[in-house]
């Protein structure tokens, strides 16, 4: 009776413990094998990331909260072969859950005289539960995470990637590696995923149509330096970084260095105006300049007057005239200007791949260099450097620092403090004049195909012969670019578009110059993305009224009181040109 009473008590206790009122398992009993069910963070900003338990690396989102990179919980399956009784049977059972499992290889591993071997990596939590339900002794699970890029190719070179240990190895992932591991709140970039995708689409269409080997585009806020889009083609699926081609990984926007061509004439004009060397009414010679076996001239199809006023030099993009302007500025002042504008150093941006420009040393910065740099040859700059310089000419003269981080504005009308704007290199008056000149390039100059009705765009074309592998220029192989801003009465955004080695079509009459290729691409991008940025085309009457206010004559009259404007008979650079021509045995006709 005593034993019956004791066994009865144990049976009743077991009944309660296993069926009627079982105890919940302790956290340490299942915490390492079964992940917690994900739940959203109620305090997070809408769309700013999905908070997952046991995730060590923070998400990356765009300026609107769209996830660009996030870590998903995954599980690794490992085994202790010393505890496995029938390796063949275990492998067959696992194959029913993991169809990609190699049975022969798995059996080989399970027969090793080890206490730890991996069976499968990165399996889903549902597969983990199914394997756990097999009840096979010797199989264990290890929690982990896998980086995922939900938008695929969009912003791939910006985001970069992580290695197998979840450490950043490229792009933003590498630059902000510690921040992403230590702070689990989403990292908010300045990139607008909608704009990024739209620009990529338009640029890829142009690259395909003109059979270019590469292309790049950058859209930047001229006041804050925020980069809303940075596209480099070809690109790759960010989820497949390890198998991407080197050319696809190459970020042409910050790593690629290209001769800027005539886009650099904007800096030459800004420099001359700000230093008081030139004025809108001053005229400059367009006659070809001969230095040894080299000749600085314009295209054979260009039929310019022998002398052009500064606005016409920009509108028609004359190389000899730009060389004369640079000579008037001089070697030291030109070098100092480019240094102050950041063209002699790496552009500061949150990408480890950002490269340094290719520029001559000051001791090799001779008079020939002064002339060639004046129209964008003899130096190689990144597209980001060009668009940064463009923004400075139109935002009132402040050199902003480009950034891939979103600024936390309280409202859209926030006014930046002076110290946040960067150095003030161009006066407000000259900045206003440069905006009118850039608008003139589009309305009456060679940039007409960049026009986007209602958006008052302005900018500068740039065509440069590409440098070959052995250092020489490749004839008829061009880098074509267009750099500009919109709207020119009050610029909000700077945009740079570049195509690498495009080929002419019937549409371009065989030409591969920027006016035929980069300019219309610029126009399409503005028309498509401006509404996404909250800008809408002006009514024709309103646009015409503003255009009349921005209007500038191609040959402004000399103001009263100016006794000797630059021009025929008063050209400071003429003596230098003639001396160089005589030194190299050439005759320069005046």
């Amino acid at each position: 009776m005593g034993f019956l009473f004791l066994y009865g008590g144990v049976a009743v206790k077991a009944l309660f413990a296993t069926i009627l009122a079982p105890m919940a398992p302790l956290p340490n009993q299942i915490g390492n094998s079964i992940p917690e069910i994900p739940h959203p963070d109620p305090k997070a900003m809408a769309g700013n990331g999905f908070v997952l338990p046991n995730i060590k690396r923070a998400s990356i989102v765009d300026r609107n909260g769209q996830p660009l990179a996030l870590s998903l919980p995954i599980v690794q399956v490992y085994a202790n072969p010393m505890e496995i009784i029938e390796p063949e049977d275990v492998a067959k059972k696992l194959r029913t859950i993991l169809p990609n499992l190699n049975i022969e290889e798995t059996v080989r591993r399970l027969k090793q005289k080890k206490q730890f071997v991996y069976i499968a990596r990165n399996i889903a939590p549902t597969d983990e539960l199914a394997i756990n339900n097999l009840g096979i002794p010797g199989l264990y699970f290890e929690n982990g995470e896998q980086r995922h890029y939900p938008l695929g190719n969009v912003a791939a070179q910006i985001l970069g990637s992580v290695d197998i240990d979840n450490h950043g190895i490229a792009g933003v992932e590498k630059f902000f590696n510690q921040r992403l591991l230590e702070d689990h709140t989403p990292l908010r970039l300045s990139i607008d995923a909608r704009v990024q995708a739209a620009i990529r689409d338009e640029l890829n269409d142009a690259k395909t149509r003109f059979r270019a080997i590469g292309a790049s585009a950058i859209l930047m806020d001229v006041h804050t330096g925020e980069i809303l889009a940075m596209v480099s083609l070809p690109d790759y699926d960010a989820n497949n970084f390890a198998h991407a081609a080197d050319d696809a990984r190459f970020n042409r926007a910050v790593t690629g260095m290209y001769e800027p061509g005539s886009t650099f004439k904007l800096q030459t004009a800004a420099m001359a105006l700000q230093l008081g060397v030139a004025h809108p009414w001053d005229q400059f010679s367009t006659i070809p300049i001969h230095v040894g076996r080299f000749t600085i001239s314009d295209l054979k199809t260009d039929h310019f007057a022998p002398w052009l006023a500064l606005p016409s030099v920009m509108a028609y993009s004359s190389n000899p005239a730009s060389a004369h302007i640079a000579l008037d500025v001089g070697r030291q002042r030109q070098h100092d200007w480019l240094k102050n504008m950041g063209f002699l150093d790496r552009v500061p941006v949150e990408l480890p791949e950002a490269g340094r420009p290719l520029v001559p040393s000051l001791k090799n910065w001779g008079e020939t260099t002064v002339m060639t740099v004046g129209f964008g040859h003899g130096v190689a700059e990144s597209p980001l450097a060009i668009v940064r310089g463009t923004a400075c000419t139109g935002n009132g003269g402040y050199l902003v620092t480009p950034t891939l981080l979103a600024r936390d504005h309280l409202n859209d009308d926030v006014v930046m403090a002076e110290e946040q704007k960067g150095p003030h290199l161009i006066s407000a008056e000259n900045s206003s004049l440069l905006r009118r000149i850039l608008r003139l390039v589009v309305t009456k100059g060679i940039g007409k195909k960049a026009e986007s009705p209602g958006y008052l765009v302005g900018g500068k074309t740039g065509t440069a012969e590409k440098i070959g592998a052995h250092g020489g220029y490749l004839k008829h192989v061009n880098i074509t670019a267009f750099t500009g801003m919109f709207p020119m009465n009050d610029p909000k955004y700077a945009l740079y578009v570049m195509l690498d080695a495009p080929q002419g079509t019937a549409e371009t009459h065989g030409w591969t110059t920027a006016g035929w290729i980069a300019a219309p691409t610029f126009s399409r991008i503005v028309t498509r993305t401006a509404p996404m940025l909250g800008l809408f085309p002006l009514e024709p009457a309103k646009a015409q009224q503003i255009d009349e206010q921005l209007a500038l004559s191609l040959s402004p009259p000399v103001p009263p009181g100016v006794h000797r404007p630059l021009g025929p008979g008063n050209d400071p650079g003429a003596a230098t040109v003639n001396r160089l021509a005589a030194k190299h045995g050439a005759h320069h006709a005046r």
Side-chain angles (χ1 to χ4, degrees):
M1 291 298 292
F3 277 109
L4 183 61
F5 176 77
L6 290 175
Y7 281 121
V10 171
V12 172
K13 185 66 176 178
L15 180 66
F16 273 90
T18 60
I19 299 176
L20 299 179
M23 294 178 61
L26 296 175
N28 61 2
Q29 292 178 304
I30 63 171
N32 292 329
S33 60
I34 302 177
E36 183 182 343
I37 297 175
H39 62 279
D41 178 8
K43 294 183 179 180
M45 294 175 60
N48 261 20
F50 203 58
V51 176
L52 296 172
N54 303 321
I55 294 300
K56 298 178 181 179
R57 194 172 186 86
S59 300
I60 301 174
V61 299
D62 83 339
R63 65 188 303 108
N64 301 312
Q66 166 69 45
L68 299 175
L70 64 160
S71 294
L72 300 177
I74 46 90
V75 178
Q76 329 285 0
V77 184
Y78 67 92
N80 183 349
M82 307 301 291
E83 299 177 0
I84 299 295
I85 299 175
E86 297 180 354
E88 291 82 0
D89 182 59
V90 171
K92 289 179 181 178
K93 289 181 178 179
L94 289 175
R95 178 65 180 272
T96 62
I97 300 171
L98 306 173
N100 295 325
L101 190 73
N102 186 312
I103 293 182
E104 291 76 13
E105 176 62 19
T106 303
V107 171
R108 186 189 68 79
R109 291 185 182 184
L110 293 177
K111 287 184 176 181
Q112 292 178 335
K113 301 301 181 182
K114 296 181 178 180
Q115 292 185 333
F116 181 94
V117 294
Y118 274 115
I119 301 301
R121 292 176 178 268
N122 303 340
I123 70 170
T126 53
D127 292 335
E128 176 196 5
L129 294 175
I131 294 173
N132 192 57
N133 288 337
L134 293 176
I136 300 175
L139 291 182
Y140 301 93
F141 305 96
E142 179 182 62
N143 286 333
E145 58 188 73
Q146 185 178 39
R147 205 63 166 167
H148 179 63
Y149 304 93
L151 299 186
N153 291 55
V154 175
Q157 292 105 334
I158 297 174
L159 295 171
S161 188
V162 297
D163 61 16
I164 194 172
D165 295 319
N166 221 29
H167 291 99
I169 57 175
V172 167
E173 293 275 27
K174 181 178 181 179
F175 191 92
F176 291 105
N177 186 59
Q178 282 301 114
R179 187 272 186 227
L180 291 168
L181 289 174
E182 296 174 356
D183 184 349
H184 291 176
T185 58
L187 177 66
R188 192 160 68 96
L189 300 185
S190 60
I191 296 296
D192 188 320
R194 304 165 305 162
V195 176
Q196 177 83 13
I199 292 180
R200 180 186 180 276
D201 185 44
E202 292 293 342
L203 194 65
N204 190 56
D205 179 68
K207 174 180 175 292
T208 301
R209 188 170 354 115
F210 299 116
R211 292 169 289 170
I213 65 174
S216 179
I218 303 172
L219 181 69
M220 187 176 80
D221 187 309
V222 301
H223 298 292
T224 67
E226 291 172 284
I227 299 171
L228 283 83
M230 177 187 286
V231 180
S232 175
L233 297 176
D235 57 13
Y236 59 95
D237 186 339
N239 296 294
N240 198 28
F241 177 84
H243 299 96
D246 290 341
D247 189 43
R249 291 186 190 180
F250 184 72
N251 190 341
R252 286 168 165 78
V254 296
T255 311
M257 298 295 154
Y258 309 93
E259 285 199 341
S262 295
T263 60
F264 227 46
K265 291 172 183 173
L266 173 58
Q267 294 302 319
T268 299
M271 170 178 62
L273 289 170
Q274 185 62 25
L275 295 175
V277 171
H279 306 87
W281 52 83
D282 289 326
Q283 296 188 346
F284 302 91
S285 173
T286 65
I287 299 173
I289 300 172
H290 303 283
V291 181
R293 61 188 181 91
F294 298 103
T295 300
I296 298 174
S297 62
D298 294 310
L299 292 175
K300 293 180 180 180
T301 54
D302 293 328
H303 303 290
F304 300 148
W307 295 83
L308 291 178
L310 179 61
S312 294
V313 172
M314 291 290 289
Y316 301 140
S317 199
S318 173
N319 292 336
S322 298
H324 275 278
I325 297 173
L327 282 175
D328 292 349
V329 171
R331 166 181 173 270
Q332 187 62 54
R333 290 194 293 185
Q334 182 191 53
H335 186 274
D336 291 345
W337 176 269
L338 296 181
K339 182 178 180 180
N340 293 336
M341 291 290 292
F343 286 111
L344 304 186
D345 298 301
R346 173 186 175 276
V347 179
V349 69
E350 300 89 352
L351 287 174
E353 295 83 7
R356 298 187 65 85
L358 304 177
V359 296
S361 62
L362 182 58
K363 66 178 181 180
N364 295 325
W365 203 286
E367 290 164 328
T368 302
T369 301
V370 171
M371 289 190 290
T372 56
V373 170
F375 57 90
H377 291 259
V379 295
E381 301 283 346
S382 68
L384 183 57
I386 301 300
V387 77
R388 181 195 191 194
T390 301
C392 181
T393 63
N395 67 5
Y398 293 92
L399 185 67
V400 297
T401 300
T403 181
L404 285 166
L405 292 178
R407 294 186 182 275
D408 294 320
H409 295 316
L410 296 177
N411 55 66
D412 294 337
D413 299 321
V414 66
V415 178
M416 294 182 65
E418 291 294 321
E419 60 270 17
Q420 290 180 300
K421 290 182 178 181
H424 195 192
L425 302 180
I426 303 173
S427 68
E429 180 183 1
N430 283 328
S431 176
S432 176
L433 177 57
L434 288 166
R435 292 201 300 267
R436 297 171 68 190
I437 290 176
L438 291 179
R439 180 60 182 156
L440 185 68
V441 174
V442 174
T443 57
K444 296 183 179 179
I446 62 174
K448 292 179 181 178
K449 292 187 179 296
E451 181 68 291
S452 181
Y455 289 110
L456 301 172
V457 303
K460 185 72 190 74
T461 55
T463 304
E465 288 182 337
K466 192 171 181 180
I467 299 176
H470 303 292
Y473 286 100
L474 303 175
K475 292 296 182 182
H476 310 299
V477 181
N478 295 331
I479 298 292
T480 62
F482 194 94
T483 185
M485 293 171 283
F486 61 97
M488 292 312 295
N489 60 316
D490 183 18
K492 298 290 191 301
Y493 302 100
L495 173 63
Y496 175 91
V497 175
M498 181 273 290
L499 285 97
D500 187 349
Q503 299 183 36
T505 64
E507 178 187 356
T508 68
H509 306 286
W511 289 101
T512 59
T513 53
W516 284 99
I517 292 177
T521 305
F522 182 99
S523 173
R524 284 191 291 271
I525 289 176
V526 171
T527 302
R528 181 167 176 181
T529 61
M532 299 179 184
L533 301 169
L535 297 177
F536 298 96
L538 297 174
E539 294 291 337
K542 180 65 174 177
Q544 182 179 355
Q545 178 184 358
I546 296 176
D547 249 340
E548 290 173 355
Q549 296 171 356
L550 292 172
L552 181 67
S553 172
L554 287 167
S555 298
V558 179
V562 177
H563 301 294
R564 292 201 67 195
L566 299 182
N570 184 27
D571 181 4
T576 302
V577 170
N578 289 327
R579 177 167 51 80
L580 289 173
K583 178 180 178 182
H584 293 279
H587 174 68
H588 178 62
R590 300 301 298 164

